[in-house]
């Protein structure tokens, strides 16, 4: 078995960022690729291992974004690489709905076992988070024979037509891309830092606003599903107040509504639990997963109560590539890594280092208005000191400084003022601390 040797887990700059080779290659990027694509860091990647990205100029960059929360088990993780190599030599594709294979079944068995809930569960595999959300909605509508979908302010669920309708933020996700799918209703999200009156105990307020809206504007009996991210990702790592998710789950059950957790960004050890809903022992009827599931290969899942997942007629669900054998092999390697290397514990350990360091920074720099998140999913919200006014300029300056020193950090937030940390959960303490010292320098340099 040929497995590439690991890159040393250390930051190393040999040119400016971007270096001359990246600059040349990025000109070709501009020529060849759609202008509709974004770019967080202007370098071209040649290789990566765990939390280090190596660019074509030879710079080693610390990855605090994991390709948007995907490489939880590390980039090109050993067990993922081994299983994918073995699979690519066996067969590359049959289409699970044409001629089935074991790895798809094994990934579904693992999802059914690992997701919360002691009832019988079944799963379906697709290619992306958005496709998984679409399928969860299809199934919930089919099962309930209802149409309305309830989503939240600040939510992100994808870029396809239905999921654009479900996503909250207009620019850049929706601007000019309408018309959007009907029967999607948005309700308030208890965003503690910005809730009306700047209150902290808002679960009851929020539930009243939401149930009132549902009952008066939609009719609870028309709602097929309520879908929520247990910690909102793109919206700015907004953590719901304690008790909110349990209350929503109960309201759903009481009203025959399917409660769906979109764990695309929060799932698979990221928040210090296998799934973020476990924090408050919430048991959703369906869970949507993607990103971290397969160590970087494209795979997503929908897992739910067996009677819901089985309510659809045979051939009502599917897709050519869904649960591709390479992606399933990768997922089995990634899931094994999470268990064998105890990544739930590791995420909590990272959470402690990250949280302590971000809170210390916030105590020193009043433009850090809020520190929030859990485990290896935390963020800081930047404001003009002493106000709630978003400070996008400071966010951009910090990100740019960190990039110039070889640290890749992502942004987020409805108000484009959140710096979010999503390191690979396997990142070493030394590497994380080095990256955080660069972050501190960035604030000092403002
Ligand atoms: N649900 C909670 O976070 C993807 C978007 C990146 P896909 N988030 C990253 C971008 O700019 O396109 C996401 C998510 C939640 C669904 C999705 C959608 O997952 O795999 O990107 O389709």
């Amino acid at each position: 078995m040929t497995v590439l040797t690991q890159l040393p887990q250390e930051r190393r700059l040999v040119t400016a960022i971007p270096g001359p080779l990246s600059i040349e290659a990025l000109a070709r990027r501009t020529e060849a690729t759609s202008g509709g694509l974004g770019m967080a860091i202007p370098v071209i990647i040649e290789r990566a291992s765990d939390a280090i990205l190596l660019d074509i100029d030879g710079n080693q960059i610390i990855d605090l974004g994991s390709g948007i929360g995907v490489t939880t088990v590390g980039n090109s993780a050993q067990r993922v690489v081994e299983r994918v190599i073995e699979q690519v030599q066996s067969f590359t594709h049959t289409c699970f709905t044409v001629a089935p294979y074991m790895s798809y079944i094994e990934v579904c068995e693992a999802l059914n076992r690992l997701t919360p809930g002691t009832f019988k569960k079944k799963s379906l595999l697709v290619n992306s988070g958005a496709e998984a959300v679409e399928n969860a909605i299809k199934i919930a509508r089919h099962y309930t024979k209802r149409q309305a979908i309830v989503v939240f302010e600040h939510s992100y669920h994808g870029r396809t037509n239905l999921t654009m309708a479900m996503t909250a933020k207009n620019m850049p996700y929706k601007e000019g891309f309408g018309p959007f799918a009907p029967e999607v209703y948005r309700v308030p999200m208890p965003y503690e830092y910005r809730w009306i009156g700047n209150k902290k105990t808002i679960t009851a307020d929020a539930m009243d606003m939401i149930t009132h809206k549902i009952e008066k504007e939609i009719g609870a009996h028309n709602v097929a599903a309520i879908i929520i991210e247990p910690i909102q990702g793109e919206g700015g790592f907004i953590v719901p107040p304690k008790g909110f998710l349990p209350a929503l789950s109960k309201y759903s059950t009481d009203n025959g509504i399917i409660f769906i957790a979109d764990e695309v960004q929060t799932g698979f050890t990221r928040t210090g639990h296998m799934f973020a809903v476990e924090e408050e022992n919430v048991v959703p009827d369906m869970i949507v997963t993607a990103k971290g599931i397969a160590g970087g290969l494209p795979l997503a899942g929908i897992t739910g109560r067996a009677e819901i997942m089985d309510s659809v007629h045979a051939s009502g669900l599917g897709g050519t590539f869904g649960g591709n054998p390479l992606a399933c092999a990768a997922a089995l390697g990634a899931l094994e890594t999470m268990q064998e290397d105890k990544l739930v514990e590791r995420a909590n350990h990272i959470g402690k280092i990250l949280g302590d360091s971000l809170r210390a920074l916030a105590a020193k720099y009043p433009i850090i208005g809020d520190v929030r998140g859990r485990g290896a999913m935390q963020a800081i919200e930047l404001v003009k000191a002493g106000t709630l006014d978003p400070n996008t300029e400071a966010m951009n300056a910090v990100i740019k400084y960190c990039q110039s020193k070889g640290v890749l950090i992502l942004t987020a937030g409805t108000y484009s003022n959140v710096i979010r940390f999503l390191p690979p959960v396997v990142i070493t303490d030394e590497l994380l601390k080095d990256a955080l010292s660069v972050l501190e320098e960035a604030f000092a340099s403002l």
Side-chain angles (χ1 to χ4, degrees):
M1 180 75 53
T2 44
V3 174
L4 287 172
T5 46
Q6 282 265 314
L7 291 168
Q9 295 296 295
E10 64 197 26
R11 180 166 63 102
R12 194 178 65 200
L13 291 182
V14 294
T15 70
I17 302 275
L21 296 177
S22 279
I23 291 175
E24 213 178 298
L26 289 170
R28 286 173 58 189
R29 173 193 189 270
T30 306
E31 278 305 303
T33 68
S34 166
L37 295 165
M39 173 167 59
I41 187 167
V43 296
I44 298 283
I45 299 304
E46 186 172 283
R47 268 183 68 192
S49 332
D50 286 348
I52 286 291
L53 306 174
L54 172 70
D55 76 9
I56 56 176
D57 288 284
N59 298 301
Q60 294 202 163
I61 297 160
I62 304 177
D63 181 8
L64 295 189
S66 302
I68 325 190
V70 171
T71 52
T72 305
V73 296
N75 220 310
S76 290
Q78 181 82 24
R79 294 183 188 86
V80 171
V81 172
E82 281 171 9
R83 291 206 187 228
V84 171
I85 290 175
E86 204 176 308
Q87 180 59 48
V88 77
Q89 290 169 336
S90 307
F91 64 94
T92 51
H93 175 83
T94 60
C95 187
F96 189 73
T97 57
V98 172
Y101 39 91
M102 280 318 291
S103 56
Y104 186 116
I105 300 169
E106 284 163 13
V107 172
C108 291
E109 286 171 346
L111 286 171
N112 300 342
R113 187 177 64 246
L114 294 169
T115 49
T118 50
F119 43 79
K120 175 140 181 74
K121 283 170 261 166
K122 292 201 177 183
S123 294
L124 159 75
L125 302 179
V126 294
N127 300 291
S128 67
E131 196 187 353
V133 171
E134 293 247 2
N135 275 280
I137 301 302
K138 267 170 77 169
I139 297 167
R141 282 176 168 161
H142 197 275
Y143 176 77
T144 57
K145 303 186 174 62
R146 302 174 178 183
Q147 294 187 351
I149 304 299
V150 171
V151 295
F152 290 81
E153 290 171 346
H154 312 288
S155 65
Y156 183 93
H157 298 290
R159 294 178 183 265
T160 58
N161 188 262
L162 173 62
T163 59
M164 272 193 294
M166 296 169 68
T167 290
K169 193 176 178 180
N170 177 53
M171 195 62 188
Y173 306 123
K174 303 166 79 162
E175 174 69 24
F177 297 136
F180 303 112
E183 289 303 315
V184 174
Y185 299 88
R186 192 171 312 286
V187 296
M189 176 67 195
Y191 183 167
E192 289 191 302
Y193 184 58
R194 293 180 179 278
W195 191 252
I196 315 137
N198 213 353
K199 287 195 283 181
K200 283 283 175 194
T201 328
I202 53 181
T203 306
D205 278 19
M207 281 311 295
D208 284 352
M209 276 172 94
I210 288 162
T211 55
H212 179 87
K213 266 185 99 68
I214 290 177
E215 274 142 33
K216 300 302 165 199
E217 298 175 21
I218 317 168
H221 63 285
N222 291 316
V223 178
I226 296 179
I227 179 165
I228 189 163
E229 301 153 76
I231 296 177
Q232 291 183 316
E234 305 304 306
F237 287 19
I238 301 165
V239 183
K242 200 165 156 39
F244 183 64
L245 295 178
L248 269 185
S249 165
K250 180 172 188 311
Y251 179 81
S252 302
T253 306
D254 291 348
N255 289 279
I257 298 168
I258 308 293
F259 184 62
I260 307 175
D262 179 343
E263 291 251 13
V264 167
Q265 196 156 156
T266 49
F268 301 108
T269 76
R270 171 64 55 194
T271 66
H273 294 286
M274 197 60 179
F275 296 99
V277 287
E278 291 169 38
E279 173 80 8
E280 294 188 87
N281 299 314
V282 169
V283 181
D285 301 302
M286 296 172 92
I287 296 198
V288 175
T289 52
K291 291 195 188 282
I293 188 175
L297 274 81
L299 187 70
I302 305 94
T303 303
R305 292 180 182 273
E307 67 269 23
I308 300 173
M309 298 300 290
D310 279 341
S311 69
V312 179
H313 47 276
S315 297
L317 304 171
T320 307
F321 288 123
N324 169 272
L326 299 179
C328 286
L332 294 173
L335 292 168
E336 188 185 319
T337 306
M338 290 173 210
Q339 266 150 0
E340 300 277 305
D341 296 351
K342 301 195 167 42
L343 295 195
V344 166
E345 284 163 36
R346 184 79 206 141
N348 282 310
H349 176 76
I350 288 173
K352 175 100 180 64
I353 299 176
L354 195 54
D356 286 351
S357 153
L358 295 179
R359 279 184 293 273
L361 213 55
K364 206 160 153 194
Y365 297 98
I367 60 168
I368 301 177
D370 197 23
V371 180
R372 56 182 183 249
R374 275 205 296 273
M377 179 172 187
Q378 299 196 45
I380 49 180
E381 177 159 356
L382 304 192
V383 291
K384 309 255 162 73
T387 73
L388 286 179
D389 300 345
N391 197 340
T392 307
E393 307 72 49
M395 175 191 78
N396 287 333
V398 168
I399 294 295
K400 223 169 161 204
Y401 181 95
C402 291
Q403 284 189 0
S404 75
K405 301 288 179 187
V407 179
L408 170 55
I409 307 181
L410 302 178
T411 60
T414 297
Y415 309 102
S416 305
N417 65 333
V418 173
I419 296 180
R420 61 168 149 173
F421 303 88
L422 283 170
V425 173
V426 297
I427 192 170
T428 62
D429 288 11
E430 299 70 44
L431 206 57
L432 180 60
K433 285 176 184 163
D434 181 31
L436 289 168
S437 71
V438 172
L439 181 74
E440 162 106 59
E441 277 171 36
F443 275 93
S445 80
L446 287 179

